[in-house]
Amino acid sequence: MSALEHVGDVSSRYVHVEKFVRPEPSLMLGPAVLKWYDIAPEDETVPLVVRALARRNLRDAAKSGELGISGELGFVILHRCGASFYFLLVSTWLNENELWETVWAKPTDEDVSFKPWPREGSHIPTFCVWELAAVCHERREWSDYLLSARNDDARRVYLQSSYEGIA
């Protein structure tokens, strides 16, 4: 019996669908500037009201200090995970080459705001397969930025480059 017979099982009930990554206008949170991505099935885009709520929640959290970022560059992923469940992932580049992440969620339509998502344990989830489309693009762009003069022009190039397409 091969070890491969016991690893990587995916439920036969799971149906994988493609989702679409859409860049939206960047978000300024004080001195931090974050690119924005919506991820959702192509025929079930992120509603404008949900995106507006997410942006307002992040602005409020940045002002109060709850978000814990300042002066960084990075990106936000607003991921529609189901009919009413959304993850809000805030990723910033720190220590030159590290991607740091804050995870918030809005689990139901009844939730009136995004809240920090509890993450306990030693082996925890990071990005799902759809989110990695945006993350891979951002990794390449950040590496290009690190190899550049890292001046205002290079920061503009980084901020103007976004991924759009199938995830």
Side-chain angles (χ1 to χ4, degrees):
M1 187 177 292
S2 166
L4 292 178
E5 293 177 34
H6 303 285
V7 297
D9 282 340
V10 175
S11 170
S12 60
R13 295 178 303 234
Y14 176 77
V15 176
H16 192 72
V17 298
E18 288 184 334
K19 293 189 180 183
F20 202 78
V21 180
R22 289 176 180 81
E24 295 293 335
S26 293
L27 179 65
M28 291 191 69
L29 299 175
V33 182
L34 306 174
K35 298 187 218 181
W36 192 282
Y37 294 100
D38 283 357
I39 299 178
E42 197 158 10
D43 59 345
E44 296 179 89
T45 60
V46 173
L48 182 58
V49 66
V50 172
R51 186 181 320 115
L53 176 65
R55 292 172 85 89
R56 186 178 76 233
N57 287 169
L58 290 180
R59 282 189 189 102
D60 292 348
K63 284 179 189 172
S64 72
E66 180 183 7
L67 192 55
I69 66 170
S70 71
E72 290 107 16
L73 290 173
F75 57 97
V76 174
I77 295 173
L78 177 56
H79 182 180
R80 183 175 194 161
C81 300
S84 61
F85 189 104
Y86 296 85
F87 270 122
L88 182 61
L89 312 173
V90 179
S91 298
T92 59
W93 296 104
L94 292 172
N95 300 326
E96 293 81 34
N97 58 16
E98 297 173 0
L99 186 62
W100 287 47
E101 180 187 42
T102 300
V103 178
W104 285 22
K106 182 181 173 312
T108 68
D109 284 334
E110 290 75 37
D111 289 296
V112 296
S113 65
F114 283 83
K115 297 288 182 195
W117 186 254
R119 295 171 48 150
E120 298 175 12
S122 60
H123 194 60
I124 60 173
T126 57
F127 298 103
C128 74
V129 68
W130 298 288
E131 295 156 359
L132 284 171
V135 173
C136 286
H137 171 83
E138 290 300 316
R139 187 217 58 86
R140 283 190 302 274
E141 293 303 313
W142 190 252
S143 287
D144 287 350
Y145 173 74
L146 292 176
L147 292 168
S148 75
R150 299 190 297 268
N151 56 20
D152 286 348
D153 288 338
R155 281 185 281 281
R156 270 190 220 84
V157 167
Y158 169 75
L159 289 169
Q160 290 172 351
S161 173
S162 294
Y163 176 75
E164 181 172 12
I166 294 173

